[in-house]
Amino acid sequence: MAIGDSEFLETIDARVVARHGLSESEYTDLRSRLGRAPNLVELGIVSVMWSEHCSYKSSRVHLKKLPTTGAAVLQGPGENAGAVDIGDGLAAVFKIESHNHPSFIEPYQGAATGVGGILRDIFTMGARPIALLDSLRFGPLADEKNRYLLERVVAGIAGYGNCIGVPTVGGEVAFHELYASNPLVNVFCLGLAPKDRLFLGKASGVGNPVMYVGSRTGRDGIHGATMASEEFSDGSSAKRPMVQVGDPFTEKLLLEACLELMSQDLIVGIQDMGAAGLTSSSCEMAGRGGTGIDIDVSLVPTRETGMTPYEIMLSESQERMLLVAKPGSEDAVSAIFAKWELEAAVIGRVTDTGRLVVRDRGRVAAELPVALLTDDAPKYERPLAPPKFLEQLQSLSVEGLPTSASYNQVLLTLLALPTIANKSWIYDQYDHMVGTNTVVLPGSDAAVVRVKGTSTALAMSVDGNSRYCMLNPYVGGMIVVAEACRNVVASGARPIGVTDCLNFGNPERPEVMWQFAMVIEGMAEACRAFGIPIVSGNVSFYNETKGLGIYPTPVVGVVGRMSIDHVTTQWFKGAGDAVMLLGETKEELGGSEYLASILHREQGLPPELDLDAEKNLYGCCLELAASGLVRSAHDCSDGGLAVALAECCLAPGARTGATIDVANPVGIRRDAVLFGESQSRIIVSTRPDLAARVLDVAARWGVPAAQVGRTGGNRLQITIESEAAVDVAIEEAAKAWFEGLPSALKGT
């Protein structure tokens, strides 16, 4: 080996090591395992592969607790994306990823390249992307900086998704002061592929050519993975050069070129160059294949002169792939990419050494064991301890809470909150009809897309409630799964698979790791109860600034399958229908939006979740939809029953009122009836002559159900045991709901 005699051997001191994000103990371990000091190129490679972002060193021990297998699972965690069988010889390929740190530093490009990255995860598997959803968190919009971040992130998502021609069909957004310095940008993508032609990121076949394809490499994004694995500080804005720059038009060419390539028998493996670029793609492909890779960076197409091996290996330039071609197919692969005006170059070979060898014009610049960078990367079982403040936060005396003089005003205030208000200001910037697959436009409980050429439709929802997870992370973890599933079920679809994006603070703090571990336990419990596997996901730690972290924020994406004839939306369909409430309302105000925003208390315990009751609710609602017994269905979540009823009334272009009377046999607080967030509840509407059949189905499933009113008129009137509680004009509710977010963005 010529490393010791080469120009790549530089003095590695403590400052250089610290700059690369390795701890003193990790560097000592690295030297011990290598039997020598690494050179700078090797240090750079190890630093990104051992980063939290790439190695999952703090989370792997806990993630193993999640259920990941099932009869329909074609590919579980460990690849670019997960895949489930949806029938008709097709697979749904999907995943959710975070791009949080880059989106704070440079919101437009951070969000745009987040979209680009998740798209590549999908078409790398051989699937054509057909839908995007996003889950966003920002600080309060009263702050100009937060308004700027929201506007630029949304513009970045729209700019990339619209240009590449993949519709953004849904999502969610919430606001809280703890996201002011740590906004979250999570993007979900789903694609379709023949189930017998899924492609994996595996380097196999000793001697097979390793090819670089796509855009040229520049200096953007260097050490992006390391930056995503550390807290923000006063100097974080200086990391703007670490944020990649995306080009959706080039990505569109890359997508089409890759899918054309995959239609022919030319490759044995392919991997997106995402975080850590050429380093991670080469290491991970070799690791999965149990092989080695020998590459020469002088053969990599670059767009800047004088790039060093260090820069080429660590660049996170966008729109690039690494693939292993079949012997003799190099020219055919190159011809396809030339047709699409993209670069293609043979840069190395698969070896049987189990080592990553990086050369520069033949001279060895780095040589490292692949296992050191993948399976044998550090793995920590970090200390766990509940937060010291938790018991105090969980305590809540309901008897001591004040009551409102006007529930009309409470309802209007809740409807206008940016977290609850209509999000059309956001999704109107997205092209949600490109591809002509969209069946349900953004705004309902779940997005729905058709699977062309079949009778199948797929429903998708992303959801998360960080306040619940802060107050009780185990219950919060269960609820985040249940809520996303409930959204899909309310649309008429049976959940078949889950992907997750787990956003947390600094894992070196025991209370953060305790929250993480408890959320995982809760999610796993819910997934097992509902019989749905988690097939892909992402962990984002270090969402923290100067020691102040975000609330634990697991975001769950659920995919459901249904007949195209059974699609249901949340809005009332006209006057004269019976309104039914499925599920039980309890005195549960802890963790509610009402308690936080109206009474200004973030405390108490989140609502209870009976997993059997939730599962029965799903079965009941799905039978009602499949039997054509309901005209609308909408789950109760943020803001409780009163907000959910108002949302049912506010159909786009066809608003209708409702007269509701809610029973209160156990005499719980009136504000809990209206605004409590008891779980396992869905509001449905049906023709009056079908109401008895709805009740019969509910009784068979053991689901509490009652007819609570009728649709019609121009007001939402809610009485509790025949005593007036809410009486607002639909136009007044519509003004609050539709103007809430635009008004906040104007600072009014």
Side-chain angles (χ1 to χ4, degrees), residues 302-643:
T302 59
R303 65 170 183 261
E304 299 182 48
T305 60
M307 290 191 69
T308 65
Y310 182 98
E311 292 172 325
I312 293 171
M313 289 301 295
L314 300 186
S315 168
E316 293 186 9
S317 293
Q318 298 291 284
E319 295 86 41
R320 304 179 300 159
M321 296 280 189
L322 192 70
L323 61 86
V324 175
K326 291 191 172 181
S329 65
E330 297 93 327
D331 290 345
V333 171
S334 296
I336 289 173
F337 284 90
K339 167 188 170 182
W340 292 97
E341 300 180 346
L342 295 168
E343 300 288 340
V346 176
I347 64 169
R349 298 282 168 181
V350 178
T351 69
D352 61 0
T353 65
R355 304 181 76 81
L356 172 68
V357 179
V358 180
R359 303 179 189 273
D360 184 19
R361 295 173 179 81
R363 290 189 298 169
V364 175
E367 182 171 354
L368 296 163
V370 169
L372 176 78
L373 304 169
T374 54
D375 293 342
D376 294 341
K379 180 173 65 176
Y380 300 132
E381 294 190 36
R382 296 193 184 276
L384 310 176
K388 296 178 181 179
F389 57 78
L390 188 60
E391 187 174 341
Q392 181 180 356
L393 279 179
Q394 289 178 338
S395 63
L396 175 67
S397 173
V398 175
E399 292 76 15
L401 292 177
T403 56
S404 173
S406 171
Y407 290 130
N408 289 348
Q409 188 55 51
V410 170
L411 176 59
L412 294 174
T413 299
L414 289 173
L415 287 173
L417 291 175
T419 293
I420 290 178
N422 176 271
K423 307 302 190 299
S424 58
W425 179 90
I426 295 175
Y427 59 70
D428 281 353
Q429 298 182 54
Y430 304 149
D431 186 340
H432 39 260
M433 290 303 294
V434 62
T436 66
N437 293 310
T438 308
V439 176
V440 175
L441 299 179
S444 194
D445 280 330
V448 180
V449 296
R450 66 170 52 85
V451 180
K452 287 180 179 175
T454 76
S455 61
T456 297
L458 298 176
M460 297 155 281
S461 174
V462 291
D463 218 299
N465 189 310
S466 59
R467 191 179 294 117
Y468 290 171
C469 292
M470 181 270 292
L471 293 170
N472 187 323
Y474 178 80
V475 173
M478 289 197 297
I479 289 177
V480 70
V481 174
E483 169 72 11
C485 287
R486 205 179 310 133
N487 287 334
V488 165
V489 166
S491 74
R494 183 177 301 279
I496 57 174
V498 179
T499 183
D500 58 53
C501 196
L502 308 175
N503 307 274
F504 286 78
N506 186 339
E508 298 164 48
R509 292 202 289 123
E511 59 269 29
V512 170
M513 281 311 301
W514 179 82
Q515 291 171 332
F516 183 83
M518 291 297 100
V519 162
I520 291 288
E521 295 274 6
M523 289 174 56
E525 182 77 9
C527 286
R528 284 192 294 267
F530 304 151
I532 49 174
I534 294 179
V535 298
S536 60
N538 174 65
V539 176
S540 174
F541 278 132
Y542 294 99
N543 293 287
E544 195 156 313
T545 298
K546 299 180 182 178
L548 182 63
I550 63 169
Y551 280 167
T553 312
V555 174
V556 164
V558 170
V559 175
R561 183 181 183 275
M562 73 178 92
S563 167
I564 193 73
D565 299 325
H566 298 160
V567 176
T568 308
T569 58
Q570 72 181 42
W571 303 290
F572 293 147
K573 301 302 185 289
D577 283 346
V579 179
M580 325 285 288
L581 176 62
L582 307 178
E584 182 181 0
T585 300
K586 305 173 185 177
E587 189 167 87
E588 295 176 308
L589 288 174
S592 66
E593 194 66 47
Y594 167 74
L595 191 67
S597 298
I598 304 299
L599 302 184
H600 309 294
R601 299 188 184 191
E602 291 190 283
Q603 62 181 122
L605 289 169
E608 294 179 353
L609 178 64
D610 182 322
L611 293 173
D612 289 333
E614 184 80 20
K615 188 175 180 179
N616 290 339
L617 177 70
Y618 298 164
C620 173
C621 196
L622 290 173
E623 181 177 337
L624 293 173
S627 302
L629 293 177
V630 293
R631 305 232 295 158
S632 70
H634 182 34
D635 86 306
C636 295
S637 57
D638 295 347
L641 179 62
V643 166

Side-chain angles (χ1 to χ4, degrees), residues 264 284 302 494 649 696 705:
Q264 304 181 34
E284 290 170 3
T302 59
R494 183 177 301 279
C649 294
D696 287 343

